[in-house]
Amino acid sequence: MDWDVMISYLPRFWQALGLTLRVGWQGVAIAFALGLAGAAALHFRVLGRLVNAYVELFRNTPLLVQLFFIYFALPKLGLRVSPEACGTWGLGLLGGAYMTETFRSGLESIPPIQAESAQSLGMTRAQTFRHVILPQALATSVPGLVANVVFLLKETSVLSTVSLMDLMFTAKDLIGMYAKTLECLTLLVGFYLLMLLPVSLAGDWLERRLRRGAFGN
């Protein structure tokens, strides 16, 4: 293990970490929005069928295939996409399918009597959804949402296939140039832990708070 080499590689990995985090969290934000919208749309017949088709398509095809389609096939239709945009939307669309199912489970866990009670008090359907159903569904969905976030951030390792200079691309590039395999892979593992461990710990903390009923008061 050459520690001097590892120290000299740190700036490259820090730069790659910044790009990976940016693309990863942008993808998570898109996935969250798509999942919430998709779960809400499931209550409408036509929209629900479209959402189900979207969920089945993206949950049953590999992210790598989806990225290749966005990056290589869309330009054939006149739509050119940068590597960063490809990674962001690839993660967002894949994550949106999983988030939709997570939000669906959360919404279905709320007893219908709660919506009926809120509407009997004069609240509209929109107000009932926003102030009564959605907060409880989000609280119920936290474990699944955290798992999806971790999953999407780990999937950033695939983005190097579309020439995005993320952590994986940087490690493979340095290994190819200098053959310092052990040093590069050790740094790669360390930086992925640095990226993912705080998310996992935050998720565990939220779950413990929910189990104690901290958000129910």
Side-chain angles (χ1 to χ4, degrees), residues 38-53 104 125:
L42 289 170
H43 292 82
F44 302 92
R45 180 176 299 177
V46 177
L47 287 176
R49 290 176 179 173
L50 293 175
V51 170
N52 282 326
R104 184 212 297 259
R125 290 185 64 182

Side-chain angles (χ1 to χ4, degrees), residues 32 99 102-103 137-138 141-150:
F32 191 92
M99 294 287 192
T102 302
F103 281 125
L138 287 174
S141 302
V142 163
L145 294 176
V146 173
N148 287 336
V149 170
V150 172

